[in-house]
Amino acid sequence: MYHKGYVALGIVLFLALLAMPYWVTAGKIKYEEIEKELAPAKGKCVYDEEWMAKYHMELLKDWRELAVRHGVRHYHTENGDFNVSLTECWKCHDYNNFCAKCHNFMDVEPVCWECHYNPSMNYSTVNYIK
Amino acid sequence: MSDALYVFYILPYVAFAIFVVGTIYRVINWARSAVPLKIPTTAGQQPTFKFIKRTWLDKIDSPSNKWWAFVRMLFEVFLFRSLFRNTRYYIEKGGKNVDARWLWLFAVLFHYSLLIIVLRHLRFFTNPVPNFVKTIEYLDGVLGVAIVPPLLMTGVIALIALAFLWGRRILLAKERCISLPSDHLILFFMAVILVSGLLMRYIVKIDLTYVKMFALSIVKFTPPSPEVLANLHPLFLVHFTFVCITIAYIPFSKVMHFAGIWFSPTRNMPNDNRMRRHVNPWDPNPEVPILAREGITVAGVTYKSKKLDWETYYEMYKDQLDEIAEKNYTLKAEEF
């Protein structure tokens, strides 16, 4: 074998790159059964749980369209009547221990909170929602 | 049923074992082959008299020591410099060069998009997710932020670049001629992976929490619960299986250029022919030239000669050469 030093260095770097998930977290990767850690919610969700887990962002997107473009503010499903609004979620869900917990786990950062309210924010004017 | 799903848990380990062992095997195999001649290809000014100026471009192009050869290598690896300079090979009827550097452009776009996509996938393999992954994802999505979920540009760019790179092999006559089945195969794998990934993100929504739990169980070497496996979406399984197949296929494929590029003799050798003598590593300082010492064996007969002359050559390949001569070709030694 020629240029043993360079080749060995190359192989070491190659292996180091493959081990990236370990060293970028300093070896502390936590396995979480996230479904079991979410705060329980009240009542019944807009659709069933499985559907919500997959499609809640689509639902919110559709709701935004419905409310802002078409002025539809009420939404009826077999689980009941809902106001077409982001704040509707806070009737039953906690923000920090529900939405944010799962989003942090998945590394999702919705931009919505730049404008919209969620209960982790402390605004006295909107506290009537709680 | 759920037991059978554990195949998907075993799959990545098998794929990575093949990938790592195969890659190291091929790298060592390359490292064992000698480079008997000094063959750097250069276009820049070599070091010579002091009054002949060399700019830094000359130093990169015609490196005279290991450091500048290393810099040239970096330009090659990160900017695909050879591709940039070497794609203008179409000659139209008028003898005009045609600029085909769009190949370089799409190659760069494709490779860098793929790099960022792979780094972004770290969000599935780490928990908590490191900040740099979040930053990459944020920057990737700044242009598409009004869309839910934010449109990540690398995914789109990679798809467009792939379409060009594959379209080039399908639609252009010359490229179609020189494309092997393996060229199409790897592009097919890439296409399946990209399209299934984009579908999952933007169109067919899947429950990502199970995907992440599955990914974490792989890096943590702890088998996932049957519940997690049962909740993996079929489209995800397609995506995942193709990724594993591609990873296992890399050592056998042209994707090995990620390691092979470091072994390109025309790129990694300093152009110091006139300063340093290059000794053939497999036959250093022979007293008797190898041609006379060991000779050449053709069809079981060994021919030794000081210099390979026409008579010896003719004797070696008599049958073939006579056959050619029968078709009224004149065979004779080249005059120098």
Side-chain angles (χ1 to χ4, degrees), chain A residues 2-126:
Chain A
Y2 303 98
H3 306 298
K4 279 202 182 75
Y6 293 119
V7 174
L9 184 71
I11 291 176
V12 167
L13 285 178
F14 165 67
L15 293 176
L17 265 176
L18 288 186
M20 199 163 185
Y22 300 103
W23 52 260
V24 293
T25 50
K28 287 198 281 279
I29 300 176
K30 208 158 74 233
Y31 182 81
E32 276 178 288
E33 294 270 347
I34 194 71
E35 305 282 327
K36 295 186 180 115
E37 292 176 24
L38 299 175
K42 289 176 265 187
K44 271 186 152 184
C45 205
V46 185
Y47 290 102
D48 61 85
E49 187 180 342
E50 211 177 303
W51 193 93
M52 287 305 287
K54 282 186 198 163
Y55 295 110
H56 62 275
M57 58 309 258
E58 295 280 301
L59 179 81
L60 288 171
K61 189 176 78 178
D62 291 348
W63 278 17
R64 179 168 67 181
E65 193 102 0
L66 275 179
V68 179
R69 297 253 161 98
H70 307 292
V72 178
R73 299 270 171 175
H74 293 285
Y75 196 76
H76 178 77
T77 69
E78 57 186 24
N79 290 347
D81 286 311
F82 298 90
N83 292 321
V84 177
S85 167
L86 253 179
T87 44
E88 184 76 357
C89 315
W90 318 129
K91 279 190 186 156
C92 310
H93 290 295
D94 188 42
Y95 180 73
N96 276 337
N97 293 317
F98 188 78
C99 312
K101 188 147 217 168
C102 188
H103 287 169
N104 284 343
F105 176 69
M106 288 310 307
D107 185 31
V108 181
E109 280 167 35
V111 287
C112 323
W113 319 128
E114 282 172 23
C115 308
H116 286 277
Y117 170 79
N118 73 53
S120 74
M121 302 168 179
N122 223 345
Y123 294 131
S124 51
T125 44
V126 280

Side-chain angles (χ1 to χ4, degrees), chain B residues 67-251:
Chain B
W67 163 249
W68 283 105
F70 177 67
V71 174
R72 175 166 74 174
M73 209 67 225
L74 292 185
F75 271 73
E76 188 61 39
V77 171
F78 291 104
L79 297 175
F80 309 174
R81 194 161 151 267
S82 298
L83 195 58
F84 187 68
R85 307 195 318 166
N86 212 5
T87 54
R88 285 161 291 169
Y89 56 90
Y90 283 89
I91 296 177
E92 282 180 342
K93 285 201 181 105
K96 228 170 61 188
N97 281 338
V98 175
D99 198 338
R101 269 179 292 185
W102 52 266
L103 173 60
W104 171 84
L105 178 72
F106 286 109
V108 166
L109 287 177
F110 185 70
H111 282 82
Y112 276 97
S113 297
L114 225 51
L115 174 70
I116 291 172
I117 290 171
V118 168
L119 287 179
R120 274 205 277 103
H121 275 71
L122 276 176
R123 82 175 165 129
F124 292 107
F125 295 100
T126 57
N127 181 38
V129 179
N131 282 331
F132 83 94
V133 179
K134 294 185 183 188
T135 313
I136 288 174
E137 198 176 328
Y138 170 74
L139 291 175
D140 201 351
V142 277
L143 289 182
V145 86
I147 298 161
V148 180
L151 186 69
L152 301 172
M153 51 185 140
T154 47
V156 181
I157 294 173
L159 193 68
I160 294 171
L162 183 77
F164 267 88
L165 295 177
W166 206 354
R168 164 181 171 268
R169 285 192 182 279
I170 294 171
L171 301 175
L172 301 183
K174 286 170 198 154
E175 279 74 5
R176 192 165 57 230
C177 289
I178 58 167
S179 295
L180 301 170
S182 66
D183 293 328
H184 292 287
L185 184 68
I186 192 72
L187 287 165
F188 169 70
F189 284 162
M190 285 319 207
V192 172
I193 293 170
L194 262 173
V195 170
S196 60
L198 291 172
L199 274 181
M200 277 191 286
R201 185 175 168 85
Y202 299 107
I203 297 166
V204 185
K205 289 286 172 179
I206 69 160
D207 194 343
L208 286 178
T209 47
Y210 292 106
V211 172
K212 176 143 185 183
M213 283 190 253
F214 178 61
L216 285 178
S217 72
I218 292 170
V219 287
K220 293 281 286 183
F221 298 97
T222 45
S225 64
E227 192 209 340
V228 169
L229 286 174
N231 276 300
L232 294 176
H233 193 281
L235 190 58
F236 167 73
L237 293 179
V238 169
H239 185 71
F240 182 72
T241 308
F242 268 87
V243 170
C244 288
I245 292 174
T246 308
I247 287 174
Y249 172 60
I250 286 174

